[in-house]
Amino acid sequence: MPNILTVITNVWKARDLRRKFLITLAILAIFRLLAVIPVPGIDRQALAQLFSGNQILGLLDIFSGGTLANFSILALGLAPYINASIVLQLLTMIFPKLEALSKEGEFGREKINQYTRLLTVPLSAVQAVGMVALLKNQQIISFAQPLSVVNVVFTMIAGTMLLVWLGELLTEFGVGNGISVLIFAGIVGRLPISLLQTGAISQTLSMFNLVIFIALALAVIVGIVYVNEATRQITVRYARRPTSATGGQSTHLPLRVNQAGVIPIIFAVSLVVMPSIVGGYLLQLNQPQIAAVASFLTTTFDPNRWSYHVIYFFLVFGFTYFYTAVTFNPDKISDEIKKYGGFIPGIRPGRATADYLSFVLNRITLAGGLFLGAVAVLPSLVQGATGISTLTLGGTGILIVVSVVLEISKNLESQLIMRNYDSFL
């Protein structure tokens, strides 16, 4: 992979790529500006104390880019849109009409994206009402008039839809996947605060713990790059493309170990944090049966308990298989290989090839799922080993940052290669 500075220099020299790069920077600047516009009527000091003592809310704040801790107009972040995507992908596997629509190329994808945006609105409303109710129970919200509450809820819904729109603009006119880049920008925006917090307590830690922490951080970054770049090369021969040397042409079908990328962790975070928040709200009700359920939820999904980490790990592991199954269709790949006269040596074309690809993909996805699950629960392990808990970036944040940087770098590199081909032709 070429030096990142060389890639940026070449991008800046190309007019169309420079335009995409500047559009990306402009959208990120707008996002960071909107992230600091607060919703009125909030006790900022009480809100900061609530987030400092709640790991669940702190984890949500990471993915919102600090907008939740400020309770800005973008407080909900992209969580409702991500949840809507999860629901639509599950429904696609259940309803044949949606499954057929997803196979209709660009038109089908656009219709499903439209359904996802429509579903985001009611999900945003539910999450906004729940967040307002949670903060009101904590005496953080100073207003009580119904009209003021409705105003805040609609503001939060509008903020989420604005963020979705910015993400789609970034995908169309900028560099990389817009949603991933916005999450990346939010995490990086929290990085200076995390580093300052870690530096503030570094004087109270032993040198041994700091060395362990730095070594683990470097090991995680190296491991993430290695796993993201790791592929299983499946040899494919095309008998109908003769050459003078071999009588056929060989190529490779790359199957990535981490086929799902960072999506499983984002999905898992969106689900694992909700039971604790709902349980905390239900505990305020004076009904014994509901209080018992709420107590079970808050206890089971307490970040300081092993049950939370076990559930989190298996959610990430399960979503890895789920998203891989959604994005990679062995039957379709097998049909494409057969259509162009290709075959895998030792494997019959058709059904046998699809079964072989499924077998290989399941084996390498096992390694990818275990790795993603380990990265997801890594912050707790690091905290137990070193006592450093103020670096809120965590293994999940590092995974997203490194993955998005690699994705953007590959995107820019591929566009530069395409430009070279165009100039050659």
Side-chain angles (χ1 to χ4, degrees):
M1 182 179 294
N3 191 301
I4 186 65
L5 293 178
T6 305
V7 173
I8 293 177
T9 301
N10 293 333
V11 167
W12 193 257
K13 292 179 180 178
R15 183 177 179 180
D16 55 337
L17 296 183
R18 181 171 67 245
R19 178 174 175 270
K20 289 186 175 184
F21 192 72
L22 291 176
I23 290 175
T24 301
L25 293 180
I27 291 176
L28 293 181
I30 293 173
F31 165 61
R32 294 311 304 169
L33 177 64
L34 295 174
V36 297
I37 300 177
V39 173
I42 303 295
D43 188 340
R44 307 295 170 190
Q45 185 175 0
L47 185 65
Q49 293 177 354
L50 175 65
F51 274 82
S52 62
N54 192 312
Q55 294 186 34
I56 292 288
L57 294 178
L59 185 61
L60 281 177
D61 187 49
I62 292 175
F63 287 93
S64 69
T67 60
L68 190 57
N70 299 330
F71 209 72
S72 73
I73 59 175
L74 304 180
L76 294 180
L78 290 164
Y81 181 78
I82 294 171
N83 292 336
S85 300
I86 297 174
V87 172
L88 259 296
Q89 289 182 356
L90 289 173
L91 293 178
T92 300
M93 301 180 66
I94 297 173
F95 294 101
K97 288 186 178 180
L98 283 177
E99 183 180 3
L101 186 62
S102 65
K103 297 178 180 179
E104 292 184 8
E106 187 64 29
F107 172 78
R109 285 192 295 270
E110 180 58 35
K111 292 296 291 184
I112 290 181
N113 287 338
Q114 183 178 357
Y115 296 153
T116 303
R117 291 191 290 268
L118 292 174
L119 184 58
T120 301
V121 175
L123 290 180
S124 300
V126 172
Q127 294 188 27
V129 171
M131 186 60 62
V132 170
L134 174 66
L135 297 182
K136 192 173 182 180
N137 288 332
Q138 299 291 332
Q139 283 79 45
I140 294 176
I141 292 179
S142 58
F143 52 81
Q145 296 84 359
L147 186 60
S148 298
V149 174
V150 171
N151 182 38
V152 170
V153 169
F154 274 93
T155 300
M156 296 172 71
I157 295 174
T160 295
M161 299 310 297
L162 176 61
L163 204 53
V164 171
W165 179 66
L166 289 176
E168 293 183 350
L169 280 182
L170 209 158
T171 300
E172 184 174 357
F173 300 106
V175 180
N177 180 277
I179 302 300
S180 299
V181 173
L182 288 178
I183 295 175
F184 160 82
I187 295 174
V188 172
R190 296 287 295 166
L191 184 59
I193 298 176
S194 300
L195 292 177
L196 289 175
Q197 290 176 342
T198 303
I201 68 165
S202 61
Q203 303 297 328
T204 63
L205 299 173
S206 66
M207 183 59 65
F208 179 72
N209 284 346
L210 286 176
V211 170
I212 291 178
F213 176 77
I214 295 173
L216 286 174
L218 293 176
V220 168
I221 294 175
V222 172
I224 289 171
V225 174
Y226 179 78
V227 172
N228 274 350
E229 297 299 302
T231 58
R232 167 71 185 276
Q233 302 287 348
I234 304 294
T235 302
V236 180
R237 292 185 61 84
Y238 290 92
R240 297 180 185 176
R241 298 179 182 179
T243 62
S244 58
T246 61
Q249 185 182 43
S250 294
T251 184
H252 292 90
L253 174 66
L255 298 181
R256 296 178 58 190
V257 173
N258 184 17
Q259 191 80 21
V262 301
I263 301 300
I265 290 185
I266 297 176
F267 282 4
V269 168
S270 301
L271 294 181
V272 78
V273 299
M274 294 308 299
S276 179
I277 295 176
V278 173
Y281 173 71
L282 293 179
L283 280 175
Q284 307 295 326
L285 303 178
N286 296 324
Q287 296 187 13
Q289 295 179 347
I290 296 179
V293 174
S295 177
F296 172 77
L297 291 176
T298 54
T299 302
T300 303
F301 290 89
D302 184 354
N304 296 317
R305 290 181 173 269
W306 63 268
S307 56
Y308 168 84
H309 300 293
V310 170
I311 294 173
Y312 190 16
F313 178 88
F314 280 104
L315 277 176
V316 173
F317 185 78
F319 274 122
T320 302
Y321 271 95
F322 166 73
Y323 196 76
T324 300
V326 170
T327 57
F328 187 91
N329 189 340
D331 294 327
K332 182 178 179 180
I333 299 298
S334 174
D335 291 340
E336 290 292 326
I337 294 175
K338 184 178 179 180
K339 177 181 178 181
Y340 291 101
F343 64 95
I344 299 175
I347 306 296
R348 290 186 176 184
R351 182 73 258 172
T353 298
D355 292 340
Y356 176 75
L357 291 177
S358 298
F359 172 73
V360 174
L361 190 64
N362 286 334
R363 292 182 65 184
I364 62 176
T365 302
L366 174 64
L370 292 175
F371 175 78
L372 289 179
V375 168
V377 300
L378 183 67
S380 299
L381 301 179
V382 173
Q383 179 179 347
T386 64
I388 300 177
S389 59
T390 58
L391 187 59
T392 56
L393 185 60
T396 301
I398 293 175
L399 176 65
I400 294 175
V401 169
V402 172
S403 299
V404 172
V405 169
L406 290 174
E407 178 187 352
I408 293 176
S409 178
K410 288 180 179 179
N411 189 305
L412 293 176
E413 185 181 348
S414 64
Q415 294 194 43
L416 287 173
I417 293 174
M418 288 177 60
R419 284 183 58 82
N420 293 334
Y421 281 140
D422 291 340
S423 61
F424 176 77
L425 294 174

